[in-house]
Structure formats: structure tokens, C-alpha cells
Amino acid sequence: MYQLRAARMDELTKLTELCVQSKAFWGYDDAFIRDCRDKLNFHPADMEKSHICVAENDHTLLGVAQLLFTDEIAFLERLCVAPANLKTGIGKSLFGWSINTAHRAGAKRLLIECDHHSAGFYQRMGAREEEFVESRVFPGQQLPRFNITLTPSRRSAGA
């Protein structure tokens, strides 16, 4: 069993490593992982400017989700699950946390720009693909962007 809770400052390095392992799981080469490592890094400022939730079991970090807000839009900045814990419900729980947190913060929409490998997960969670956008890490690479309209009936989606 695992629990969801707020991330702590002393966990940022471990959360970065969890995200690197999660990205590497999809077979990307070392050069690609090195190139996107800065985007995967958690920094102390992230604790102030975003909401970060971790899934934990017996002091082991299993997954992480991070939300940023701009006006009435919430951005799912990242949702990563340790490779050994894929398909265990942790991603779904973290996504549910994201929906609920965005809704409570007054967001009207949740936007998700994701890796092609995770597009199917977001579709299963009810997100609607709306367009492709240029990667912030690799200019010229197109990533799918998903949207969820946050209404009262979406409050407990995925939870």
C-alpha cells in the first residue's frame, strides 16, 4: 500500500532521480536523458511556485506529480512513476490528486504536455488530445497536448 502526501525539500534529489529513471524506462539513450535532465530536475524554487505530491510506501518514493498554475489554467508539469511501480494504480492516484488540487485552486482547465509514450495513459484518464506543441526541451520535436475541462463532476476523476 502507498500514501499520497506533499513533497519535502529534502527529497528533491530523490525525486529528480525518480523522474530520470521514469524517462529512461522508455528506452531513450543516455545522450537524450542527459539532454533532458535539466527539465527533470527538481529545484528548491519548485516547492514555492508549484504543488508537488509524492506517492510513498515505507519511506520509499514511488511516484511524483507537479502542478503549476497560471490564471485559471493548471499545468501538469510532470507525473512520473518509478518503473517498478508502473501499472499499480499509482499514476492514476497521482492524476486524481492533480485533478482535485487543480479544481480546489480554482482552475478551469488542466493542460498536459506529455511524452508520446504516456499519451495513452492520459487518454484513459479522460483527457482529450487538443493539439501538438513544440517541446520546451528539444525545439522542433512535437509533443501531444491534452486538456481536461474541470467541472464539479470532474472533481473526483481518477481518485
Side-chain angles (χ1 to χ4, degrees):
M1 200 58 184
Y2 59 89
Q3 66 176 5
L4 299 183
R5 62 164 176 79
R8 297 187 314 257
M9 187 73 74
D10 66 329
E11 298 174 317
L12 297 181
T13 300
K14 288 180 182 178
L15 292 174
T16 295
E17 289 310 311
L18 187 150
C19 290
V20 168
Q21 291 170 6
S22 178
K23 181 65 93 175
F25 172 80
W26 298 108
Y28 293 113
D29 62 32
D30 291 341
F32 180 87
I33 296 299
R34 265 192 316 276
D35 289 345
C36 63
R37 187 173 183 90
D38 187 53
K39 176 70 174 129
L40 299 173
N41 274 340
F42 278 94
H43 302 280
D46 291 326
M47 298 293 286
E48 298 170 16
K49 68 179 184 178
S50 64
H51 296 259
I52 304 171
C53 178
V54 299
E56 172 191 61
N57 181 34
D58 196 25
H59 306 290
T60 300
L61 298 173
L62 308 175
V64 61
Q66 179 186 20
L67 283 176
L68 294 171
F69 294 89
T70 302
D71 299 321
E72 294 182 340
I73 299 175
F75 295 90
L76 184 56
E77 187 68 10
R78 57 185 125 189
L79 192 159
C80 299
V81 175
N85 295 286
L86 292 172
K87 301 191 183 279
T88 62
I90 292 170
K92 184 177 181 180
S93 293
L94 288 167
F95 189 76
W97 169 86
S98 301
I99 294 282
N100 290 331
T101 300
H103 194 277
R104 281 193 308 272
K108 303 291 186 210
R109 295 190 321 146
L110 175 66
L111 293 180
I112 307 146
E113 294 173 10
C114 67
D115 188 288
H116 296 280
H117 295 289
S118 48
F121 169 78
Y122 293 112
Q123 289 171 330
R124 289 190 300 279
M125 294 297 104
R128 182 178 46 82
E129 188 174 316
E130 60 177 26
E131 63 184 332
F132 284 84
V133 296
E134 187 166 330
S135 168
R136 291 176 277 163
V137 179
F138 298 103
Q141 180 183 4
Q142 298 292 301
L143 299 174
R145 177 188 285 173
F146 289 86
N147 173 44
I148 290 190
T149 301
L150 300 173
T151 62
S153 64
R154 297 285 321 179
R155 176 170 288 193
S156 61

